[in-house]
Amino acid sequence: MNLWIAGARPRTLPSAVVPVAVGTGLAIGEGHAVWWRAALALLVSLALQVGVNYANDYSDGVKGTDADRVGPMRLTGSGAKPPKQVLAAALLSFAVGGVAGLVLVAVTSWWLLLVGAAAIAAAWFYTGGSRPYGYRALGELSVFVFFGLVAVVGTVYVQLEYVPWTAWAAAIPVGLLSCAVLVVNNVRDIDTDAMTGKRTLAVVLGDTMSRVLFTLCLSMPYIFVIGLGAARPWALIALLSAPLTLAPSRRVLQGAQGGELVEVLGEAGRVQLVFGVLLAIGLAL
């Protein structure tokens, strides 16, 4: 069980929790939070995050790109679990998310079915299939869309059944922080990815520019929060998390490598979580 938990990459789970928390905070602020729908949205988000992690583990493992990596446990690449078991875990996770999503579709709108199908497809084809888009520098874009815009706005919609502009404004910083987590993960793997033909955005941009991109993704959310504060002044309490960005930004810009970047990954996840909780509280108030 410890291997499966490690393979699920717990440090990435804030990317699933934060958008649902922020969307629910906004729904509370609008006076129409529906807790059981929020709980199902969280289950969908967590299931997709775990599913994409297992799917990534499986696909990279069978392609041989995980043979020599620093960072989270690779169940397939390390030989700790047979590929078929890892694939089954990914499909089971997608199934759990799909069932929870179907309940939300049934009580809201049919078009959410298309959104859910697109999210599952994006999770699989990130590294799966013959032409994975994660190997073509599109991973960050997908994360921004699905773990930023779609997750926040979707959480708001299933509770309010309409989408105020503040939902989009809140989704942008959430998506940027999710991108920061992926960017630092790919900076850590830039050499091995380049050798195995995995052209992530970090490989395309190069080491220096990718480190700059990480710091931008970590700092730009606060600009959007200031703008959001014009309509929701309490949202400005999210600015209290800004000092947490200093240590990971400094370490990355100073050239952190290998295991140190694994620590930065945890720090970026902490920024994301604290920011998300504070923003959710601010939007609720």
Side-chain angles (χ1 to χ4, degrees):
M1 183 56 67
N2 287 339
L3 288 176
W4 286 111
I5 292 172
R9 305 181 191 179
R11 288 183 175 180
T12 67
L13 296 186
S15 293
V17 174
V18 165
V20 178
V22 169
T24 301
L26 197 151
I28 294 170
E30 293 285 325
H32 297 289
V34 183
W35 291 105
W36 67 269
R37 294 188 184 186
L40 283 177
L42 179 60
L43 179 58
V44 171
S45 189
L46 284 169
L48 289 180
Q49 179 67 69
V50 172
V52 74
N53 287 341
Y54 283 141
N56 175 258
D57 187 305
Y58 167 78
S59 297
D60 278 349
V62 297
K63 288 181 173 74
T65 54
D66 268 352
D68 183 21
R69 290 290 182 95
V70 176
M73 161 65 71
R74 267 74 167 188
L75 298 170
T76 308
S78 68
K81 295 293 180 181
K84 287 185 178 180
Q85 288 188 15
V86 180
L87 175 60
L91 296 178
L92 177 61
S93 299
F94 292 148
V96 169
V99 170
L102 285 174
V103 176
L104 292 173
V105 168
V107 298
T108 53
S109 177
W110 67 268
W111 60 263
L112 283 180
L113 183 63
L114 301 179
V115 176
I120 292 175
W124 173 255
F125 289 108
Y126 173 54
T127 55
S130 60
R131 296 178 62 83
Y133 67 86
Y135 284 39
R136 288 168 172 76
L138 294 174
E140 283 78 4
L141 176 61
S142 178
V143 163
F144 179 78
V145 171
F146 288 102
F147 285 99
L149 303 183
V150 170
V152 174
V153 173
T155 299
V156 172
Y157 179 77
V158 298
Q159 296 180 73
L160 303 183
E161 297 193 35
Y162 66 90
V163 180
W165 72 267
T166 46
W168 295 101
I172 293 172
V174 170
L176 287 171
L177 288 175
S178 291
C179 286
V181 172
L182 181 58
V183 169
V184 74
N185 181 79
N186 288 340
V187 168
R188 183 198 64 215
D189 296 334
I190 195 167
D191 291 333
T192 53
D193 283 341
M195 287 188 296
T196 56
K198 185 177 181 180
R199 288 178 56 78
T200 63
L201 185 59
V203 171
V204 172
L205 293 179
D207 185 80
T208 300
M209 289 302 298
S210 297
R211 291 173 186 272
V212 172
L213 177 62
F214 169 76
T215 59
L216 289 174
C217 289
L218 212 58
S219 59
M220 285 179 62
Y222 296 96
I223 298 173
F224 288 96
V225 165
I226 292 172
L228 185 58
R232 294 293 188 90
W234 278 105
L236 295 174
I237 65 173
L239 297 175
L240 295 174
S241 64
L244 295 177
T245 67
L246 297 178
S249 296
R250 183 173 60 250
R251 294 172 75 177
V252 169
L253 290 176
Q254 289 177 348
Q257 299 286 344
E260 193 175 359
L261 286 175
V262 176
E263 296 175 6
V264 172
L265 183 64
E267 292 173 346
R270 184 158 50 250
V271 171
Q272 186 180 35
L273 192 58
V274 175
F275 175 93
V277 169
L278 290 175
L279 182 58
I281 292 171
L283 292 173
L285 294 174

